[in-house]
Amino acid sequence: MRSIINSKADRYFFLILLIFACITMLSSQAFSADKAIAKLTNFTGKVLIKSQDAWGVKPEIGLPLYSGDKLVTKIGMATITFNDGAVMEIKANSNLQIEEFQGDKGLAEKAGGVKRKLRLLLGKMLFKTGSGRNKADTSLITATAVCGLRGTAG
């Protein structure tokens, strides 16, 4: 049985094509990190922020937050306002990661709607959904449960 890839040049071409395909598939999430999805609207006490893969971002009112950012509160709290008007209050001693991305088109999902995942690794938070037609589908993920947030607050 003969191999489809006969020469060394064909192998390199196939390898480059494969790498390009992998980069294209993985970069869709990276492009969403270029646009701010929320901002820090209030905080008290000590708040640690990991923004765009860098710890040590100084918290300040109006600080833009991106998909994949992480907030850790020590003694104090933080309030985040998303672009769709949703507000989240992170209580003391909490560890939260926010993710937001464009949803897939499917029968059970809104075509191309915004999907938001809130990963609460430790602590407590309050969440109030935004008003208007552009609400994001929001999921809360904790160490012991996963749930979809419906209604206006949780």
Side-chain angles (χ1 to χ4, degrees):
M1 193 185 237
R2 283 186 356 158
S3 174
I4 295 173
I5 303 171
N6 294 327
S7 70
K8 198 173 193 177
D10 288 342
R11 286 188 205 125
Y12 283 122
F13 176 74
F14 181 73
L15 181 62
I16 290 171
L17 186 64
L18 182 64
I19 291 171
F20 178 74
C22 290
I23 290 172
T24 303
M25 287 188 296
L26 295 174
S27 66
S28 62
Q29 182 100 10
F31 287 127
S32 65
D34 293 341
K35 182 181 173 196
I37 61 169
K39 61 183 175 185
L40 184 66
T41 52
N42 191 17
F43 70 96
T44 61
K46 185 165 183 162
V47 178
L48 305 173
I49 299 174
K50 180 182 181 183
S51 183
Q52 297 182 318
D53 293 326
W55 281 104
V57 176
K58 182 180 177 190
E60 57 186 42
I61 303 298
L63 177 74
L65 299 171
Y66 302 88
S67 183
D69 284 3
K70 193 179 256 191
L71 285 90
V72 177
T73 58
K74 298 291 184 180
I75 299 173
M77 54 75 69
T79 304
I80 298 172
T81 303
F82 289 90
N83 292 343
D84 66 351
V87 178
M88 181 174 30
E89 184 176 312
I90 305 162
K91 301 296 186 177
N93 298 315
S94 297
N95 185 334
L96 177 91
Q97 181 178 15
I98 57 174
E99 294 179 10
E100 190 171 287
F101 51 93
Q102 199 68 22
D104 297 329
K105 295 181 182 179
L107 294 175
E109 301 176 29
K110 287 191 245 177
V114 174
K115 307 289 182 194
R116 180 178 299 138
K117 289 184 182 179
L118 307 173
R119 295 181 189 273
L120 186 63
L121 304 173
L122 178 71
K124 296 179 183 178
M125 61 167 252
L126 294 174
F127 185 80
K128 181 178 177 188
T129 61
S131 60
R133 304 172 77 198
N134 296 330
K135 291 182 186 177
D137 287 340
T138 304
S139 297
L140 173 63
I141 301 167
T142 68
T144 55
V146 176
C147 67
L149 299 177
R150 302 260 185 234
T152 58

